[in-house]
Amino acid sequence: RLVLNPSHFAPRGSQANASRHITPSMLEKPTFEREVLCAVLEEPALVAEYAARIPPERFETERLRRVWQRMVAEARSLSQPSDVFSLFSEDDDARSVLLSVESVERLADSEARRAKLDRVVERLQLDDAKRRYRDVRALMDQLIEARQPVPAELRAEYAALASTLSASTLKKG
């Protein structure tokens, strides 16, 4: 019965017109790195503004890190998307990275791109605070286990980090 009835094989609903083409950007995991490159590819002048706040060392993916490093190094000469592509005209791997991030997300205007990059910077700062909180907590635990006094500066730093992290948790919720 199933094979003989052609209506069982007809596409249904809105999914019938869906594209079956897979782009490289669909295959890669979404990361802050891709978001950063996507935003600055649309407005390369932002590279100079955010280079110090988003250091290349924070990029985990080597291919994306190399592209960001080169863009940061040449930030003064980047003013439009074509400048970025000409910067990587000799590097096929970098060009494929740029093409894959180009279609990740189109942001409406410069304000939206800045907001996206500011959220990335905020997230990196939060990650740093979490890491430092764990380190300070471990150090305090070691001192307490060794029955040594915990310095007041360390307690104050711990309290400040705890306050920062709890405020960010409240802000999310």
Side-chain angles (χ1 to χ4, degrees), residues 11-51:
R12 297 180 210 177
S14 63
Q15 293 297 325
N17 295 327
S19 174
R20 294 177 190 239
H21 298 285
I22 297 176
T23 62
S25 62
M26 295 169 86
L27 299 175
E28 297 197 28
K29 182 174 95 175
T31 60
F32 85 87
E33 302 150 325
R34 296 175 62 73
E35 292 176 358
V36 167
L37 291 177
C38 179
V40 300
L41 187 57
E42 292 178 4
E43 189 175 345
L46 293 174
V47 173
E49 188 175 332
Y50 285 89

Side-chain angles (χ1 to χ4, degrees), residues 2-17 20:
L2 181 67
V3 176
L4 298 176
N5 188 348
S7 67
H8 290 284
F9 298 99
R12 297 180 210 177
S14 63
Q15 293 297 325
N17 295 327
R20 294 177 190 239

